[in-house]
Every structure is written in C-alpha cells, then in structure tokens.
Amino acid sequence: MPLEMLQGRRIAVLMGGESGEREVSLRSGAGVLAALRRQGFDAVDIDPGPNLAAQLQEAGAEVVLNVLHGGAGENGAIQGVLEVAGYPYTGSGVLASALTMDKIQSKRIFQVMGIPTPPHVHADGGRSATEHARQAIKSFGLPAVVKPRSEGSSLGVSIPKTEAQLVQAVSDLMERYGECIIDRYIDGTEITVGIVGAGEKTRALPVLELVPKREFYDYEAKYTKGMTELIAPARISEEHTRESQALALRAHHALGCVGPTRVDMHLDTGGNCWVHEINSMPGMTETSDLPHAAEAEGVSYDELVLQILETAAIRM
Ligand SMILES: Nc1ncnc2c1ncn2[C@@H]1O[C@H](COP(=O)(O)OP(=O)(O)O)[C@@H](O)[C@H]1O
Ligand SMILES: [Mg+2]
C-alpha cells in the first residue's frame, strides 16, 4: 500500500513561494499541514527560497507535498529541483506542470488528441492587434475571450463584445506579455472537474458548477467570498456528468498529469463540453473548489490530503 510506504517519514509541505498567488498558497498549506498533523504524520512547512534542496536537507524531509500555486512551484521548475535532489513529491511532474501552465501548448495537444477546446487565434505579436482581432472575428465572431498564454486566476481575461473592444484587449495583452489568446466565447454552464490519484487510482470527483455573480468567473468572483456559488454535484444530466468526467480524465492524461488537477470546462447550451485548461496545483484552502467537490462524494478534507500525499509514492 503506497500510503503505508509514507507512514513515519517526514513530510515537507511546500507553501508560500514567490508568485502572485503566495497568499493563497500559504492558506492552502496551512490547511494541508494541519490535516497531516491531525492524522499523525510528521509534517513540516517549507517556504522555498533559491536553495530549496538545502532547506529540505536541513529540515530532514523525506517526502514533499507541494502546495505552491503559480510561478516556479506550478510550472515544473520546482519539480525539476525535486527530481535532481531526489525527493519523492506529489502531483504532476516537470513536463505536465510546464504544459498545463501554457494554454497554447495545452490547446495544441488537446486538438491532436481530439479533446474539444474552443477554437482560438494565437495573437503571437507577428501582426498588429487589429489584424489578429479581425482574423478572430472572421473565424468565430463576437463576443470573444481574450486571455494571457500563461497566467492563472483569470488575470488579464476579458470578454470583448465589439471589434474596438477586442482590438483594445488584444493590444493591452500584447503590450504586457508580447502575445495572447483569442478564444471563441462559449455560452453555457461553467463547470470544473477535479481529478485525484495516480496511475490506476486516477479518478474524477463530482462535477462542480460555478455560478459567478459577475459577468464571468473573473478574479473578483474567484477570491471574494459570496461572489460565486459553488454547486456540487452540478445541476446537469447524468449523461453530461459522465461525459464531462470522462473528458476531464482524457485531458488530464493527454498532458501526462498526476492528481490532483482541476479541469476547467464549459458545457454549452447545445450540450457540448469544451475544455479551457488544466490547473496542476488546485487550491486547497478549506473553501477551495477541490475540497468542495471531494466533500460532495463524502471524502473529507483530511482524506483528500491523504489521497494527494499518496501520489508521492509513484516516485519512490
Ligand atoms: N472560451 C471561453 N468561453 C467562455 N468563457 C471563458 C472562455 N475561456 C475562459 N473563459 C472564462 O474565463 C475564466 C478563466 O479562464 P481560464 O482559461 O480558466 O484561465 P485561468 O483560470 O488560468 O485564468 C474561465 O473560468 C471562464 O469563466
Ligand atoms: Mg481556470
């Protein structure tokens, strides 16, 4: 039993970090640390600096449970350090972490694997914002969704309704990031599917429906209490539930992920599922999506933490 392999070993919970999502990570980490200690594990917290390997050695860590959100903790860089230093760690590896962070590469793989993702134009800076915008309007019309290639938390995402707004949004993001994505707008029910476990134990959690009180699931809606209603299980048919869970699992495997992940999707008004992106480091605060979805099938926060910890065993 993988979990037994981990019993008695000192677990380092990586939390904090230097990304914009530091505060969320500290909250996720505090919850995870408490859950491990409640269940008798020897757990310590580490806020990674430039010499993570030395920090782990000093702390006497044997296994790593990573709860860093954004930046190096989520994009594969920290995973690379852990590989080189030889620590078994939870969640996705170097390549899958890097891919999930990059919405263009993710979409390319989804397309090749036949996983429906909204048609898009990659405004790569090769032409003017106006030309990129016109190409998108010609391909799929308005409204459209403009988003950065490698951000999270809906940062920089907007839904322009006119050509002028679209040109402005594309030009803003091109200025900030050098490039951006213009997506076809999908109207319907926003859902997200949590995936937990590794190997044969990989499975989808109940579908979570997100009902923001704002125009879409933007930064405010994500992080302001009461701004979004989380409904689990989602108010969709059994058939759509099965379909979206199966699709989420396919997307998760297409990018080579290891649980936990969260696959963000839309179920459109015609009943078709579309995959937007995969998050390889889902939030673990007590009010985050993943614990909420787990609870809907009777899996407590503490049990969920054990299921995450167990994924480290594939690297022992
Ligand atoms: N093609 C789309 N159609 C409709 N809404 C979208 C589309 N793409 C993104 N969104 C909205 O923007 C939000 C953020 O987009 P997402 O791709 O999940 O990026 P991230 O969460 O990494 O910022 C989604 O949760 C959804 O509300
Ligand atoms: Mg998202």
Side-chain angles (χ1 to χ4, degrees):
M1 273 303 287
L3 202 54
E4 278 150 27
M5 289 164 68
L6 295 159
Q7 222 94 37
R9 300 193 189 233
R10 176 162 295 176
I11 299 158
V13 178
L14 300 191
M15 54 201 268
E18 278 152 26
S19 84
E21 291 169 89
R22 174 179 173 81
E23 294 310 315
V24 188
S25 169
L26 288 173
R27 271 165 52 207
S28 289
V32 167
L33 196 66
L36 288 171
R37 289 181 175 157
R38 269 199 295 274
Q39 297 180 96
F41 284 91
D42 175 14
V44 295
D45 56 304
I46 290 187
D47 190 348
N51 200 347
L52 175 58
Q55 287 177 285
L56 288 166
Q57 200 178 19
E58 213 165 285
E62 297 174 273
V63 176
V64 169
L65 200 161
N66 182 2
V67 220
L68 296 164
H69 302 313
E74 186 162 345
N75 70 12
I78 293 264
Q79 287 76 4
V81 170
L82 297 171
E83 294 279 346
V84 174
Y87 289 94
Y89 59 94
T90 54
S92 294
V94 174
L95 179 59
S97 300
L99 286 173
T100 55
M101 208 59 177
D102 183 334
K103 291 187 175 79
I104 292 282
Q105 299 294 20
S106 295
K107 272 178 176 287
R108 287 179 180 151
I109 295 175
F110 293 155
Q111 285 167 340
V112 168
M113 300 297 283
I115 292 160
T117 187
H120 72 286
V121 165
H122 179 195
D124 59 5
R127 289 182 287 154
S128 70
T130 306
E131 284 171 292
H132 289 306
R134 289 204 174 128
Q135 189 196 342
I137 293 173
K138 201 172 146 215
S139 308
F140 43 76
L142 289 163
V145 180
V146 178
K147 51 186 172 183
R149 175 174 184 160
S150 303
E151 271 289 2
S153 296
S154 297
L155 287 169
V157 180
S158 65
I159 307 186
K161 278 140 207 99
T162 64
E163 180 174 330
Q165 285 173 3
L166 181 60
V167 171
Q168 187 61 51
V170 171
S171 137
D172 283 351
L173 290 198
M174 274 169 57
E175 201 166 297
R176 215 148 94 207
Y177 302 95
E179 58 180 337
C180 69
I181 300 173
I182 312 172
D183 242 5
R184 182 166 116 201
Y185 173 73
I186 308 293
D187 190 16
T189 307
E190 176 147 12
I191 55 177
T192 186
V193 179
I195 310 281
V196 290
E200 290 171 352
K201 284 193 164 177
T202 309
R203 65 193 182 85
L205 294 176
V207 180
L208 191 64
E209 179 182 344
L210 307 163
V211 191
K213 298 208 164 81
R214 295 170 63 85
E215 183 198 15
F216 72 102
Y217 198 33
D218 64 3
Y219 188 90
E220 296 294 314
K222 280 181 180 173
Y223 296 113
T224 318
K225 220 179 159 178
M227 283 294 240
T228 298
E229 208 182 331
L230 303 181
I231 303 166
R235 299 164 300 178
I236 58 177
S237 71
E238 253 176 61
E239 192 193 337
H240 286 144
T241 298
R242 272 197 307 275
E243 266 175 34
S244 52
Q245 286 176 318
L247 188 59
L249 280 166
R250 276 177 55 211
H252 171 100
H253 289 303
L255 298 193
C257 293
V258 173
T261 62
R262 238 195 43 237
V263 186
D264 287 347
M265 300 194 272
H266 255 97
L267 179 65
D268 74 16
T269 44
N272 307 297
C273 277
W274 302 89
V275 175
H276 295 309
E277 60 139 0
I278 302 186
N279 303 286
S280 66
M281 207 53 79
M284 279 298 287
T285 71
E286 308 268 351
T287 54
S288 294
D289 298 8
L290 198 75
H292 197 92
E295 210 178 285
E297 64 165 25
V299 172
S300 69
Y301 184 87
D302 283 12
E303 172 60 24
L304 178 63
V305 169
L306 293 190
Q307 292 185 11
I308 292 171
L309 176 62
E310 205 177 358
T311 64
I314 59 166
R315 300 194 176 94
M316 292 179 85

